Every structure is written in structure tokens, then in C-alpha cells.
Amino acid sequence: MILLRHGQSEFNLLFTQTRRDPGIPDPKLTPFGHQQAAQAAEALRGERVRRIITSPYTRALQTATPLARAFGVEVFINPIVRERYAFACDIGTPRTELAMAWPDHDFSAIDEIWWPAVEEPAEGIQARAALFRAEMAALPDWSDTLVISHWGFILSMTGQSVTNGTWLRCDPTAAAPETLVWRP
């Protein structure tokens, strides 16, 4: 499968400059983030993508838009691929508001408040990644899946720290990474 980190968000832009949490819940993509999403759609054009899974965060949903259009596939919303809850940007938007903002997507399988109430320990995101890895490995067509996710989740799946708009391949049948470095 392909894992794609969402495009640059308002949070990412400010955090990169200051290394401080700018306090932006569920931030949107910056203009550059939208450009990264469009570039990813172009770069992945030759891939066989029959399923897109994305986290419910706005930045991931916005990144999914040009990709879903390019591949002509439905977007599946799955909070298991969300970011590790550690910053203000990890406070999500309630399901009913997401459904109004994204009427073409089905949010019925997620809770109204789908993000945790307290900071998630590293073991929590690693457990979610392990569960997702097992779920994907059980699908015969896992290789046709594009997952739009976040820094911490991709790190937990691959052991690699990737920048916004970066994609990489992940074989869910392979062993999970043994050592992770939790520094964005």
C-alpha cells in the first residue's frame, strides 16, 4: 500500500518556524499544502489505487480531494490512521460538522468525538498501527490502497519520519519497525 502524509497545514507552517504549538485545532492546509496534494495526485497517477483511506482530520480530507478525483475512487474515513494526540492540531472536528463540510463522504462509522480526550502515549499509536497493519494484511488487494495519514502514524507503520506531502510504500505483511524515534 502507499502511505501519504497530508500536505502542509497551518499548524505545520507555524510549528516549523517556532517549534512551539501554535494552538490551532484541526488546521486546514496552507496554499502550499494544497499544491503538495495536487503534486501527489500527479506523481501517483500511474499507480493502481482502488481504495483511499484517510483520517478524519481536515488536513487529511483536503489532501484526499485531488487524489480521489484523480483516481475516481471513494474515500473511506478511518480514525485509526489519525495522528498521535499530542498537540492542539490533534483536536478534531465533530463528526456532524465534518459531514456538513464534506457531504460526499460517509462519516457514519465514526463517533461524534473521534479523537482522544488526553495525550496518547507512543504505545497507543503503535498499537493502532499494529491493528491497522493486521487489518490491511488480511485484504487480498491491500496493495491497491492509498492511506492519507500523519507523521506519527506513518512513523509507527514504517519507522520513517516523513515530511508533508511525502509518500512511501508499506507492506503490511512485513514486520513492524522495532525502534522508533519520536521527534518531529
Side-chain angles (χ1 to χ4, degrees):
M1 72 184 144
I2 298 171
L3 302 177
L4 169 65
R5 183 175 175 197
H6 63 81
Q8 180 191 64
S9 71
E10 299 160 330
F11 177 94
N12 298 132
L13 176 65
L14 295 172
F15 185 79
T16 300
Q17 294 170 352
T18 65
R19 304 311 287 176
R20 291 194 175 117
D21 187 337
I24 306 170
D26 199 12
K28 296 178 174 84
L29 292 182
T30 64
F32 182 59
H34 284 286
Q35 183 181 9
Q36 288 174 315
Q39 288 170 343
E42 184 60 33
L44 294 170
R45 184 176 299 280
E47 299 292 330
R48 190 172 70 197
V49 173
R50 297 202 172 120
R51 176 189 305 113
I52 295 176
I53 298 172
T54 186
S55 93
Y57 285 114
T58 296
R59 57 201 180 268
L61 290 162
Q62 289 178 317
T63 301
T65 298
L67 290 143
R69 191 170 31 246
F71 289 107
V73 297
E74 184 178 356
V75 174
F76 295 93
I77 314 301
N78 190 342
I80 201 171
V81 303
R82 67 175 166 74
E83 182 57 284
R84 176 182 178 201
Y85 186 85
F87 294 100
C89 65
D90 304 326
I91 297 169
T93 297
R95 183 195 71 233
T96 51
E97 290 180 41
L98 289 172
M100 287 189 301
W102 304 92
D104 294 339
H105 296 329
D106 180 5
F107 293 92
S108 63
I110 69 172
D111 293 333
E112 181 67 13
I113 303 300
W114 47 267
W115 62 96
V118 297
E119 184 172 340
E120 182 179 28
E123 297 78 27
I125 193 169
Q126 290 170 286
R128 281 193 289 112
L131 176 61
F132 185 71
R133 177 181 292 281
E135 288 175 355
M136 291 306 296
L139 298 176
D141 63 346
W142 61 260
S143 61
D144 298 343
T145 302
L146 170 63
V147 180
I148 300 167
S149 189
H150 306 270
W151 177 84
F153 189 81
I154 294 171
L155 176 69
S156 294
M157 288 290 292
T158 67
Q160 297 181 49
S161 176
V162 297
T163 57
N164 295 112
T166 301
W167 62 274
L168 46 81
R169 295 188 191 286
C170 178
D171 180 346
T173 66
E178 291 184 26
T179 306
L180 301 178
V181 178
W182 289 98
R183 278 182 276 141

